[in-house]
Amino acid sequence: MAADQPTSAPDTTSRTRVVLAEAAARRSATDPAGIDLTEQTPVGEALVKGLVRAQLALALRLSLVVVAGLGTLPLLFVAAPAAGSFRVAGVPLPWLLLGLLSFPFLVGVGAAYVRWAERNEQDFAALIRRPER
């Protein structure tokens, strides 16, 4: 007789529907740094100003590297005229340094800037997303 009795269906009234917006709202309620950024509070402004300051400092440091690297070459050729008349494979050294080798130098500085700027942004994002203590 136990086989003839229908089994009771599980209670479906206790199911909860989860909507992505609700989950995001719950998550953002516990994210004070994210709230500070989106609502542009003084704390959020300070965080963004810190990131901008870090990016500006990086740009200025690498600009100094470029000025020091390329700006001193003409001074070298004025101070040591013999270096200006030196030839490598029939090409004058100033042409070789300023006209050919300066481009890989600039590409290298640009690549370093992109890598370090992305690292600054990742550090900023980690600061924003860090869990509460």
Side-chain angles (χ1 to χ4, degrees), residues 11 33 40 46 50 58 67 105 109 122 126:
D11 186 20
Q40 297 179 349
L58 174 63
V67 167
F105 172 71
V109 169
Q122 289 171 355

Side-chain angles (χ1 to χ4, degrees), residues 5-132:
Q5 294 178 348
T7 59
S8 63
D11 186 20
T12 58
T13 58
S14 65
R15 292 173 52 184
T16 304
R17 182 175 178 197
V18 177
V19 179
L20 184 59
E22 292 171 358
R26 275 185 265 137
R27 185 174 51 238
S28 68
T30 61
D31 184 17
I35 291 170
D36 288 333
L37 285 176
T38 57
E39 293 180 0
Q40 297 179 349
T41 64
V43 173
E45 281 186 35
L47 290 171
V48 171
K49 281 183 182 179
L51 174 63
V52 170
R53 225 177 281 124
Q55 298 292 53
L56 178 62
L58 174 63
L60 291 176
R61 283 193 307 266
L62 289 179
S63 295
L64 287 175
V65 168
V66 169
V67 167
L70 295 180
T72 57
L73 287 177
L75 296 175
L76 168 73
F77 298 130
V78 168
S85 62
F86 188 73
R87 293 184 174 269
V88 176
V91 179
L93 184 63
W95 281 82
L96 186 66
L97 291 176
L98 292 172
L100 185 63
L101 296 179
S102 63
F103 293 106
F105 172 71
L106 290 173
V107 168
V109 169
Y113 175 77
V114 168
R115 183 176 336 126
W116 292 331
E118 287 177 350
R119 187 189 64 201
N120 284 344
E121 291 172 4
Q122 289 171 355
D123 292 345
F124 176 76
L127 176 70
I128 298 303
R129 293 189 185 114
R130 79 167 182 224
E132 287 287 320

